Amino acid sequence: MHADLSRNTFRPERHYSAVVSQQGRVQLDADANEQTAIQLFQARTLAADLIGRHGGPRDATGFKITLRGGSRELDDLVIGGGRYYVDGILCDATRPQPGVPVPAEGAADAGGKDGAADKDGPDGGDGAGEPAAPPATWTYWDQPDGFRDPERPGDRLPTAFPYLAYLKVWERIVTAAEDPALREVALGSAMPDTAARTKVVWQVLPLPASALELPGDNPPIDDIRAAFARWAQKASTPGSRLAARSERPDHADEDPCLVAPDARYRGPENQLYRVEVHDGGTAKDATFKWSRENGSVTFPVDELDGTWVELANLGSDDKLDLNVGDRVEFVDTGYTSRGEAAPLLRVEELDLPSRRVRLSGEPAPGVGRRPELHPFLRRWDHHESSQKTVRRGERGAGRLKHGALPVEEGGWLPLEDGVEVYFAAGGHYRTGDFWVIPARTATGGVEWPTDAARRPLLRDPAGIAVHFAPLAWVAGEQAEPDLRLAFRPLSASIPAADDAALAAEAEARAEEADAAAYDSAGPVPSRSQTTAEAEAAVEEGGAG
């Protein structure tokens, strides 16, 4: 979550059920965010317990997969509309339809009473150049958060059958830098944005049959589901762990006494440090980047011209601006959704009057060229350094790898101002995995769990949590065995009142008949028949 947060306090193992506000207290973003997290956790846990790992409502199950092949065009998958739950997370494949615009002034209202245009033209419009209606369903190539590129061979569907089409689900943060509609224009351009949003991202992707290690081309569906569950468990399990601490840096005595003299964290402000994996893989290939503002310092891009970038603004103050030497990541919606790791760039020159910066290189191909994807720069705060302790903003002689810091396992790595991190040995790193570390001047340390001996504990990444569900086993056209699951509604119809009355009357008549039979046999005994028979048997036995 690249948002301007104070900290993240939600801990499911503490089993808190609600956040309770107290009168006269300061309201913090962390409290409101924890309440949201508690409610989401409860709702999704309940849904997963009732539905299972994945499933959709029987009458509106989404994500039905149909192969659309062609001899001249690339294969495509049609994604049926509807809803589907993956680990309790709701995914909706329904494709929104555009609204009906007001007719041009002076033009005849061809829409009739319901506003629908007559479709007499060859393009499906009204014969006057109206655009054709969009498709009713999404496809593999135009799915809203897929951003598949036909020019990339790795994005194309496998040419060899069979393969498995599956659903990948995760969440990411969206701020006003990516969605300008979130900004309240009434506050003015000088004011910062307000709340961010969390978005559920789903993608339909192919998985070669070889990845499931199944014998034959047409294994039983239950075997396919079981093999995919094993693959998904491995793919979603974090492979790296990190610990953090604060140590009193060597330069502590040289700094002004802004905090306690014995403080280990020597930063002048409270911070939420974010350590994020950039390049994935094993330790020899993996890199990481870090930000003291949780990666929330962003600059919307108005125009890209080679290595020169025109920005909408250059930051609200000197703490949140850009300086020569800063490392930035060129980002847009497609880049974020694909989970890629392009080289980080360096700010080489600033043109403040024109709000332009010159970067050390051009952004990666396909990133930042489409204004509708809202490109922006994200600032990271690491710099080249090989020193044991690093002051804020210092630059050393150490070399970066693609603009990020190489991962070094089994030792403490300094970030700045006494904050250090430790990567556990033998890790396998995934691009986008991150940890957050609150640093507080009041305590002169970082908030990180420790054991009884005050040793920092290794923790899995705080995200990204990825979820998977199988959709279809694609063995060719007209051969897509369905792997989805469906559930029925829990509710049932209430019987008509007359039916209930008739049943009650029949039961009453039966009880009256039983009572009449007892009356004809004599007075009703005061004891049960079973008791009387038992006593008689005892008396006969005693007499014998």
Side-chain angles (χ1 to χ4, degrees):
M1 298 177 62
H2 300 91
D4 188 11
L5 309 176
S6 59
R7 57 176 183 159
N8 179 14
T9 58
F10 175 62
R11 301 289 183 270
E13 66 274 10
R14 295 178 181 173
H15 305 294
Y16 293 146
S17 59
V19 175
V20 180
S21 298
Q22 301 184 82
Q23 63 176 349
R25 277 25 173 220
V26 174
Q27 297 296 307
L28 299 177
D29 64 288
D31 296 331
N33 293 337
E34 183 173 353
Q35 178 62 56
T36 301
I38 288 173
Q39 291 176 315
L40 273 178
F41 178 78
Q42 291 174 340
R44 290 173 175 175
T45 301
L46 176 62
D49 288 342
L50 296 177
I51 298 169
R53 293 295 304 272
H54 58 89
R58 183 170 294 276
D59 296 331
T61 308
F63 296 93
K64 178 177 174 57
I65 300 299
T66 305
L67 176 64
R68 180 192 291 168
S71 58
R72 296 184 180 180
E73 299 179 356
L74 296 175
D75 286 352
D76 200 356
L77 296 176
V78 179
I79 305 170
R83 300 182 298 280
Y84 209 68
Y85 292 83
V86 182
D87 290 334
I89 301 174
L90 171 62
C91 304
D92 195 340
T94 304
R95 183 163 188 160
Q97 296 300 300
V100 179
V102 175
E105 186 175 355
D109 185 1
K113 185 175 181 180
D114 60 358
D118 295 331
K119 297 183 179 180
D120 299 327
D123 59 354
D126 61 359
E130 290 292 331
T137 58
W138 298 108
T139 70
Y140 172 79
W141 288 112
D142 70 359
Q143 55 185 304
D145 292 300
F147 298 99
R148 304 291 99 183
D149 185 354
E151 300 298 325
R152 297 188 183 189
D155 284 357
R156 299 173 186 172
L157 293 170
T159 56
F161 298 111
Y163 61 86
L164 188 145
Y166 69 95
L167 189 60
K168 178 181 179 182
V169 182
W170 77 100
E171 289 182 303
R172 67 181 184 87
I173 203 76
V174 177
T175 65
E178 189 175 348
D179 185 0
L182 297 181
R183 180 181 291 276
E184 174 52 77
V185 296
L187 296 177
S189 59
M191 294 294 291
D193 58 350
T194 55
R197 304 293 188 273
T198 300
K199 179 180 180 180
V200 173
V201 178
W202 60 260
Q203 294 178 337
V204 173
L205 301 173
L207 181 68
S210 58
L212 300 179
E213 301 178 351
L214 287 171
D217 291 340
N218 295 299
I221 287 181
D222 288 343
D223 291 352
I224 297 174
R225 288 196 179 112
F228 180 82
R230 293 191 294 269
W231 177 88
Q233 178 67 25
K234 182 178 180 180
S236 59
T237 301
S240 57
R241 294 182 300 168
L242 176 141
R245 71 178 184 184
S246 54
E247 288 292 302
R248 194 166 189 267
D250 295 339
H251 64 269
D253 295 333
E254 304 172 12
D255 292 340
C257 189
L258 299 177
V259 294
D262 59 346
R264 293 167 294 168
Y265 169 60
R266 301 297 296 187
E269 297 178 279
N270 299 317
Q271 306 285 182
L272 183 63
Y273 285 90
R274 181 189 187 94
V275 176
E276 182 174 318
V277 176
H278 190 65
D279 294 293
T282 59
K284 67 182 182 65
D285 301 317
T287 61
F288 73 98
K289 54 205 175 190
W290 63 263
S291 163
R292 68 178 71 97
E293 304 286 349
N294 192 33
S296 64
V297 181
T298 57
F299 305 89
V301 172
D302 285 344
E303 185 179 354
L304 173 64
D305 182 12
T307 59
W308 280 96
V309 181
E310 182 179 335
L311 305 176
N313 61 75
L314 286 173
S316 56
D317 55 42
D318 55 3
K319 184 172 76 82
L320 303 175
D321 62 3
L322 281 175
N323 295 287
V324 172
D326 285 343
R327 293 285 168 176
V328 294
E329 185 174 16
F330 211 101
V331 181
D332 63 18
T333 301
Y335 173 87
T336 302
S337 296
R338 291 179 61 92
E340 297 178 321
L344 302 181
L345 303 175
R346 185 178 184 273
V347 175
E348 300 288 350
E349 186 177 348
L350 290 173
D351 181 1
L352 297 180
S354 301
R355 303 192 313 277
R356 301 200 316 160
V357 298
R358 183 171 63 85
L359 305 178
S360 57
E362 291 191 35
V367 180
R369 273 74 175 181
R370 297 170 56 185
E372 68 272 17
L373 297 184
H374 304 292
F376 60 91
L377 296 182
R378 188 186 306 282
R379 190 191 77 187
W380 296 95
D381 296 320
H382 63 271
H383 295 286
E384 296 176 335
S385 178
S386 60
Q387 303 176 57
K388 183 177 179 181
T389 58
V390 184
R391 301 188 194 191
R392 179 167 302 200
E394 274 188 333
R395 298 170 178 81
R399 295 185 61 84
L400 301 178
K401 186 177 181 181
H402 301 154
L405 297 163
V407 168
E408 299 178 21
E409 296 181 332
W412 289 98
L413 306 177
L415 301 187
E416 68 175 8
D417 295 331
V419 179
E420 300 179 346
V421 296
Y422 178 102
F423 290 98
H428 191 276
Y429 301 86
R430 301 181 305 189
T431 297
D433 280 353
F434 68 92
W435 298 261
V436 289
I437 309 164
R440 297 294 181 257
T441 58
T443 61
V446 300
E447 296 181 359
W448 193 266
T450 60
D451 64 4
R454 303 188 63 81
R455 294 175 301 180
L457 299 178
L458 293 166
R459 301 185 67 176
D460 292 335
I464 303 171
V466 185
H467 310 266
F468 302 96
L471 298 177
W473 183 253
V474 183
E477 290 193 65
Q478 308 302 319
E480 305 101 6
D482 203 336
L483 301 177
R484 299 172 302 158
L485 300 175
F487 58 87
R488 294 183 183 276
L490 295 176
S491 59
S493 60
I494 300 175
D498 54 343
D499 292 342
L502 291 174
E505 290 176 3
E507 183 179 356
R509 285 196 297 269
E511 292 178 353
E512 290 175 359
D514 292 341
Y518 280 115
D519 291 341
S520 62
V524 179
S526 60
R527 295 171 297 173
S528 69
Q529 183 178 358
T530 303
T531 303
E533 291 175 352
E535 291 178 352
V538 171
E539 291 176 358
E540 291 177 2

